[in-house]
Amino acid sequence: MRAARALVRWSAKDLANAASVGVATVRRAESDDGIPSITAANQKAIRNALEAAGIEFIPANGGGPGVRLARPFDGG
């Protein structure tokens, strides 16, 4: 999640606002290794916000899961 935020130059607060969740929820999700300790609804809201911002989630394919920009970053 931190890598995705970095790609679109969002702070934790920016992501929280875009996903309509609390900043503490974003920070808690990022502090966990593996499966985030947040509700499925909050996890979906965060993922949807990041995807709307242009993030593409890459499944684990031998090298582990990751993220990348789905389209060129426009600076916004």
Side-chain angles (χ1 to χ4, degrees):
M1 192 179 309
R2 274 175 274 187
R5 281 197 303 109
L7 286 172
V8 293
R9 299 180 185 155
W10 277 1
S11 67
K13 184 177 180 180
D14 294 331
L15 176 54
N17 288 338
S20 297
V21 300
V23 175
T25 299
V26 172
R27 295 198 192 288
R28 186 172 51 254
E30 290 183 346
S31 69
D32 292 331
D33 290 331
I35 299 171
S37 63
I38 60 174
T39 66
N42 284 345
Q43 188 173 2
K44 183 177 180 178
I46 290 169
R47 182 180 180 121
N48 288 344
L50 289 168
E51 287 177 338
I55 294 297
E56 180 179 354
F57 289 85
I58 305 166
N61 59 357
V67 294
R68 66 178 170 211
L69 288 173
R71 58 186 182 272
F73 182 62
D74 65 6

